[in-house]
Amino acid sequence: MQPTNLADPAYFHKVVDCQWACPAHTPVPEYIRLIGQGRYSDAYMINWVSNVFPGILGRTCDRPCEPACRRGRVEENNGDKPEPVAICRLKRVAADMKDDVKGRMPTLAPRNGKRVACVGAGPSSLTVARDLAPLGYEVTVFDSEARAGGFIRSQIPRFRLPESVIDEETGYILDLGVDFRSGQRIASMNALLAQGYDAVFVGCGAPRGRDLQIPGRKEAAAHIHIGIDWLASVSFGHVTSVGQRVIVLGGGNTAMDCCRSARRLGGTDVKVIVRSGFEEMKASPWEKEDAVHEGIPIINFHVPKSFEHRDGQLVGMKFEVVQAVFDGEGRRSLVPTGAPDVFFECDTVLLAVGQENSFPWIERDVGIEFDRWGLPVLRKETFQSTEPRVFFGGDAAFGPKNIITAVAHGHEAAVSIDRLLHGEDPARRPAPMTNLMSQKMGIHEWSYHNDVSGDTRFKVPWAKAEVALASIRVEVELGFDAATAFKEASRCLNCDVQTVFTRETCIECDACVDICPMDCITFTTNGEETDLRTRLNAPALHATQDLYVSGALKTGHVMVKDEDVCLHCGLCAERCPAGAWDMQKFLLNTTQAGSRCRDEKAGKRLMEVA
């Protein structure tokens, strides 16, 4: 193998598993260390730069970072089911315990004469506004609702996300000189472009819930509701009660929000019925756990056949029982078991079987192409449509996903818009800013706490059930207190503090090999990667994580390190008598809109003008 190129920004980024997995590439270990030090405002602002909504995401994020967390791989003997660091809940700690951060928000540059319209006031549009408004762009955000937030406000129940948190974090953005046109639904893309905007960003989400057309749907329509529409009605106070017997159809997070909301609005017999197996449900594992914890059964492998009614009154639903059968290539199909159909009584049915994009307001002669699924044809790296001035992001771009993905789309689209309006190719994506800095404070002392905690994951306290289930607006999770937050933060393995090897000073004494608790360092002859992975002290079986390979040493051997299971404990650097190992903090800042995202000559011109 060739020596590892440490100058490649992606190499050490990939070692920071949580940051690599986060669509917005939030520097997770950096802000967790700050939380452990009680520097909550600093931790919040680091989050704010990357994910824009720390308080919102600290309660509602889909947490792609947590399955990637290294603790889940190295704690094999610490409980039956090793759990990652509670990254999401620590984010909430930063938001809840910070000081007033208004004075730390960006200063606004003079207007640059460019106008950008954002359609929808959801997370992707607000991210575009947040990135462009401080640069001098005149940003106008249109939304049909009275307040900003999009589906964050309309579809996430208040028992998960208090309205005050939404108001605070959308307010930080609107206060950056953004012109928010509330109550204004855009009815025509042609008309919008005719208003002279230099660029338009479409972040209107996937606003249409899928229906279920089976026998009885029309006759019992008054008692059957589309899940996302029903949640919005609950959120805005238009719906305050529900039938006692409720069936929720669907296995995603929307279904979990529907069933838990119905439970709080008077449903005494609420159940979720899904055509797939429990493990195959699209809902996040913790969402399913929360529903089950609140006494809501989830019934699997039942396919709806009909809505049963009498004189227009819904009385129940009939289901066919199926089982999963896999063919020789592992493809699954649902096959009837032959068991009799099952009937469940109900007064109300909530349909949460998927969401679809809907763009009736975009004329088909405006120059924007759509694919056969009704999604815009986009350049994936730029989010630019076939009409160069129009960009898409969030659920409106590639279909329903989650908040943090919408934020990531907004950042990338803002870079594209900024480059386009400075006469540069949006497809040319500048590399992120990276830095490596030694953490050495003495011979055996580092500037970070490198003692690996043996604690298992701490549980977030909940409000008492009789209180939480009595009101749709009582927040269920109470969040960590400062002491528990410190202990949970101490579980972080500081994966951004990298082991950096200097070939020239190594004397091949094997001291680092002897002391490594994970057997992840090996000195051996070089070879092809597939062969080399099998010859290490502990075979490196996870090919998705790269090997760290040095150049040839004095003996002709190479140093090979398995990055996948390294604890970043620093023992190799402490033990090395020649100082060949060092612990260096890797900092990656993704390139956002502004002078750093533009071509070098353009950046110099801007500095000269300033």
Side-chain angles (χ1 to χ4, degrees), residues 95-325:
D96 288 356
M97 298 187 182
K98 71 183 184 307
D99 299 319
D100 186 353
V101 295
K102 289 181 181 177
R104 302 179 66 165
M105 293 296 151
T107 56
L108 305 183
R111 295 290 192 190
N112 61 16
K114 302 293 185 181
R115 300 169 64 230
V116 178
C118 295
V119 181
S124 59
S125 286
L126 292 177
T127 300
V128 170
R130 200 289 303 267
D131 287 359
L132 295 182
L135 304 179
Y137 289 93
E138 182 182 336
V139 181
T140 304
V141 177
F142 297 90
D143 198 273
S144 60
E145 300 298 339
R147 287 189 284 178
F151 80 88
I152 292 175
R153 190 180 295 275
S154 65
Q155 294 176 31
I156 300 178
R158 297 292 81 86
F159 62 81
R160 290 181 58 205
L161 178 61
E163 204 150 30
S164 59
V165 178
I166 306 173
D167 291 339
E168 176 190 353
E169 296 197 323
T170 59
Y172 290 145
I173 298 170
L174 300 183
D175 288 345
L176 295 174
V178 174
D179 180 13
F180 178 45
R181 305 282 182 86
S182 62
Q184 293 193 28
R185 183 185 297 274
I186 298 300
S188 167
M189 176 63 80
N190 273 323
L192 185 63
L193 291 172
Q195 295 180 41
Y197 288 103
D198 297 284
V200 172
F201 178 80
V202 179
C204 57
R208 187 171 63 191
R210 289 200 180 106
D211 207 337
L212 183 62
Q213 296 298 337
I214 57 176
R217 175 66 178 93
K218 292 182 179 179
E219 292 82 352
H223 310 283
I224 303 168
H225 309 283
I226 302 296
I228 60 170
D229 298 337
W230 184 82
L231 285 172
S233 296
V234 171
S235 178
F236 295 125
H238 305 314
V239 169
T240 57
S241 63
V242 71
Q244 290 189 341
R245 301 172 301 176
V246 181
I247 289 176
V248 178
L249 299 179
N253 287 341
T254 298
M256 300 303 102
D257 285 341
C258 284
C259 70
R260 297 179 70 196
S261 296
R263 184 81 169 78
R264 286 160 172 80
L265 293 181
T268 56
D269 176 13
V270 180
K271 56 177 66 75
V272 177
I273 303 181
V274 195
R275 58 190 299 137
S276 67
F278 185 84
E279 296 301 326
E280 298 167 292
M281 291 170 61
K282 292 183 178 179
S284 303
W286 49 90
E287 299 280 5
K288 294 186 285 187
E289 290 169 10
D290 290 349
V292 172
H293 177 77
E294 292 182 352
I296 299 169
I298 297 176
I299 300 169
N300 302 100
F301 293 121
H302 282 58
V303 175
K305 289 189 68 175
S306 64
F307 299 102
E308 299 297 313
H309 58 91
R310 295 192 191 100
D311 302 322
Q313 181 68 41
L314 181 69
V315 295
M317 286 194 69
K318 189 178 292 184
F319 294 85
E320 181 178 46
V321 182
V322 297
Q323 61 183 345
V325 176

Side-chain angles (χ1 to χ4, degrees), residues 12 15-16 436 495-500 568 582-584 586:
F12 280 137
V15 176
V16 192
L436 276 169
C495 294
D496 61 336
V497 181
Q498 307 288 348
T499 50
V500 178
H568 299 252
D582 190 17
M583 303 305 295
Q584 298 185 11
F586 172 76

Side-chain angles (χ1 to χ4, degrees), residues 329-595:
E329 297 181 1
R331 290 175 298 198
R332 189 205 70 167
S333 58
L334 296 176
V335 178
T337 62
D341 290 345
V342 178
F343 175 77
F344 291 103
E345 295 181 341
C346 66
D347 308 305
T348 305
V349 173
L350 303 176
L351 301 177
V353 292
Q355 291 171 234
E356 298 173 332
N357 290 79
S358 179
F359 302 104
W361 56 278
I362 299 180
E363 297 86 353
R364 292 313 188 252
D365 63 352
V366 77
I368 299 173
E369 294 181 14
F370 292 87
D371 63 22
R372 58 179 174 149
W373 296 282
L375 292 168
V377 176
L378 305 176
R379 299 178 70 176
K380 287 190 176 181
E381 71 278 13
T382 66
F383 297 90
Q384 187 178 35
S385 73
T386 49
E387 160 50 64
R389 294 172 294 170
V390 179
F391 299 78
F392 288 74
D395 293 353
F398 304 116
K401 197 67 176 176
N402 51 47
I403 299 172
I404 191 62
T405 299
V407 168
H409 290 181
H411 284 314
E412 292 297 329
V415 169
S416 298
I417 292 169
D418 192 34
R419 287 182 59 82
L420 176 73
L421 300 188
H422 280 81
E424 298 173 3
D425 181 6
R428 182 175 175 181
R429 311 307 282 185
M433 299 288 290
T434 60
N435 186 34
L436 276 169
M437 181 179 295
S438 176
Q439 301 301 290
K440 186 165 285 188
M441 300 278 289
I443 296 177
H444 299 305
E445 188 175 5
W446 311 102
S447 65
Y448 72 104
H449 185 67
N450 68 319
D451 186 20
V452 177
S453 168
D455 286 335
T456 55
R457 179 170 167 136
F458 291 87
K459 301 297 183 184
V460 178
W462 276 38
K464 292 182 179 180
E466 61 268 24
V467 176
L469 294 177
S471 171
I472 195 77
R473 295 190 174 273
V474 171
E475 189 171 13
V476 175
E477 289 194 6
L478 304 179
F480 289 136
D481 58 21
T484 309
F486 171 79
K487 290 186 287 188
E488 184 62 35
S490 298
R491 296 183 67 237
C492 178
L493 295 175
N494 300 288
C495 294
D496 61 336
V497 181
Q498 307 288 348
T499 50
V500 178
F501 180 74
T502 304
R503 174 179 66 95
E504 291 75 14
T505 57
C506 177
I507 59 175
E508 299 185 67
C509 65
D510 277 0
C512 56
V513 176
D514 294 339
I515 202 169
C516 178
M518 301 301 289
D519 294 326
C520 60
I521 301 173
T522 305
F523 289 87
T524 184
T525 54
N526 208 338
E528 295 296 326
E529 181 176 356
T530 52
D531 168 59
L532 199 55
R533 283 182 176 272
T534 65
R535 290 192 285 109
L536 306 182
N537 290 330
L541 303 178
H542 298 126
T544 56
Q545 186 66 271
D546 297 334
L547 296 177
Y548 184 176
V549 181
S550 74
L553 300 164
K554 296 179 179 66
T555 62
H557 287 173
V558 292
M559 184 287 302
V560 184
K561 176 171 174 280
D562 179 9
E563 299 280 22
D564 189 57
V565 293
C566 175
L567 298 179
H568 299 252
C569 61
L571 290 176
C572 54
E574 292 180 14
R575 183 70 180 271
C576 180
W581 289 100
D582 190 17
M583 303 305 295
Q584 298 185 11
K585 184 170 73 173
F586 172 76
L587 184 63
L588 178 140
N589 289 318
T590 56
T591 304
Q592 294 189 357
S595 58

